[in-house]
Amino acid sequence: MKSRTPDISTPAHHVGGQLPAHGDLNLLRTFLAVYRAGTFTAAAPVLGLSQPTVTAQIRTLEQQTGRELFTRLPRGVEPTPVAHELAAQVAGPLDALTALEAGGTAAGRTAPVHLAGPSELLCVRVLPALVPLVADGVRLRVAQGLPEPLLEEMRVGRHDLVITTRRPRGRGLPSVPLADEEYLLVASPAWADHIAAHAGTDDALCAALREVPLVTYAEDLPILRRYWRTVFGKQLTTRAAVTVPNLYAVLSAVNAGAGVSVLPRSLCQEYLDSGRLSLLHDPTEPPLNTLFLVQRPGAETNPDVLRVRELLRTAAHDWQG
């Protein structure tokens, strides 16, 4: 029994005319890839085409529909209202066709879920939360990285879900707030005792901290500077004493007594509970970083992506403290 190809030749009367009765599926696939990627350049590798070919195909589709689909910007393109209507019309059928061509559920198994985010969060929060799904047969392919590179990789189809500390710009990548991550000023107990002997107020604490080495993962001290600015209302002028590759290394160095730093609660809570680290400051409103869960358009055709997404949103309720 032959499977029936989803019908996407319905007249596009909402887009100022009508698509050809036997319209080229490749043109519509190219359109949808550009619509989701936000640029011709980012869509090209997803399609296995060159950027000039993508541009030419979009131009051809615009000629066939008689309407402009994208407004060309200095960086990327912006879908017109016509493009939004056309995407709503063809996305479902094209995604269903792609799933059938890939074997998808017709082959009795789903594709792996490609998930990415900050390495520390993945290890401490995300992977433990997803253990039940792995035991139930869900396959995961996990990558780590910084927000902007991961989002760019998602735009070219490399990831299904990305957890990021920045909401994606534009409408191409839908996202939802996942959790607020609290940041804490910490040090080893020995340094904490030394600082406490010279600090009673916030000003005295800042003065005492000038004499303590700062440990960070970047020379510009991004997390530390933000803490000083939002909690103490001061600019941090001290330079880093130790710069290491990532937050795990910051935790290790601080735990060993190298100095002080600011770390996410999820990473250092176990150390605080066991007494290996000490909390140096307990402000009324500690700095928070909102985590966003971003889903690649079209990824919902894999039911396991939806299972991972919903379990992460449920588990994130317990990440706040």
Side-chain angles (χ1 to χ4, degrees):
M1 179 177 177
K2 294 178 65 177
S3 61
R4 187 177 178 183
T5 300
D7 180 10
I8 58 174
S9 60
T10 303
H13 56 276
H14 292 297
V15 296
Q18 132 176 9
L19 293 174
H22 301 286
D24 187 345
L25 288 178
N26 290 327
L27 296 184
L28 294 177
R29 281 175 165 146
T30 298
F31 158 76
L32 193 60
V34 173
Y35 179 85
R36 288 170 168 172
T39 71
F40 293 161
T41 301
V46 176
L47 297 161
L49 302 174
S50 67
Q51 188 269 333
T53 299
V54 171
T55 302
Q57 289 190 355
I58 293 299
R59 187 176 297 115
T60 298
L61 187 59
E62 288 179 326
Q63 291 170 351
Q64 291 182 358
T65 60
R67 301 293 293 274
E68 183 182 43
L69 298 173
F70 298 101
T71 301
R72 279 62 169 176
L73 304 174
R75 294 187 61 183
V77 293
E78 178 71 23
T80 65
V82 174
H84 289 304
E85 294 182 28
L86 181 57
Q89 183 183 6
V90 304
L94 282 178
D95 287 339
L97 180 59
T98 299
L100 286 174
E101 291 174 340
T105 54
R109 64 188 302 190
T110 56
V113 177
H114 292 263
L115 171 68
S119 60
E120 298 83 9
L121 185 74
L122 290 171
C123 294
V124 175
R125 299 290 203 194
V126 175
L127 292 177
L130 296 179
V131 165
L133 289 184
V134 175
D136 198 34
V138 173
R139 293 180 295 159
L140 296 175
R141 301 295 181 265
V142 182
Q144 63 86 30
L146 297 174
E148 288 305 322
L150 290 181
L151 292 174
E152 287 304 312
E153 290 170 359
M154 172 175 269
R155 289 187 174 94
V156 299
R158 194 172 300 176
H159 310 301
D160 299 313
L161 296 167
V162 167
I163 300 173
T164 175
T165 55
R166 300 178 187 173
R167 186 187 291 274
R169 296 187 295 271
R171 302 176 182 176
L173 296 177
S175 64
V176 294
L178 190 62
D180 287 329
E181 180 79 286
E182 183 180 349
Y183 282 79
L184 308 176
L185 182 64
V186 296
S188 66
W191 274 119
D193 291 342
H194 173 79
I195 294 167
H198 300 85
T201 64
D202 282 1
D203 287 341
L205 175 59
C206 287
L209 288 170
R210 293 193 193 103
E211 308 303 320
V212 183
L214 298 182
V215 183
T216 181
Y217 70 94
E219 285 292 342
D220 59 347
L221 304 141
I223 299 178
L224 286 155
R225 288 186 186 279
R226 182 187 173 199
Y227 193 98
W228 256 248
R229 184 175 65 253
T230 59
V231 175
F232 297 135
K234 300 177 182 292
Q235 294 295 321
L236 178 62
T237 57
T238 309
R239 293 184 177 181
V242 181
T243 302
V244 293
N246 53 50
L247 290 178
Y248 270 128
V250 172
L251 175 65
S252 178
V254 173
N255 179 60
V260 305
S261 194
V262 174
L263 290 168
R265 180 181 287 277
S266 62
L267 190 59
C268 63
Q269 185 64 59
E270 178 184 346
Y271 287 73
L272 292 169
D273 292 342
S274 66
R276 287 175 286 173
L277 285 182
S278 296
L279 183 66
L280 300 179
H281 192 230
D282 189 16
T284 304
E285 295 185 10
L288 299 175
N289 226 5
T290 300
L291 301 170
F292 295 94
L293 181 60
V294 190
Q295 180 175 310
R296 177 178 58 81
E300 65 276 4
T301 58
N302 181 350
D304 283 350
V305 170
L306 303 183
R307 295 175 69 189
V308 169
R309 182 191 70 190
E310 293 312 308
L311 183 54
L312 285 176
R313 295 184 69 176
T314 300
H317 292 304
D318 298 326
W319 298 355
Q320 307 290 344

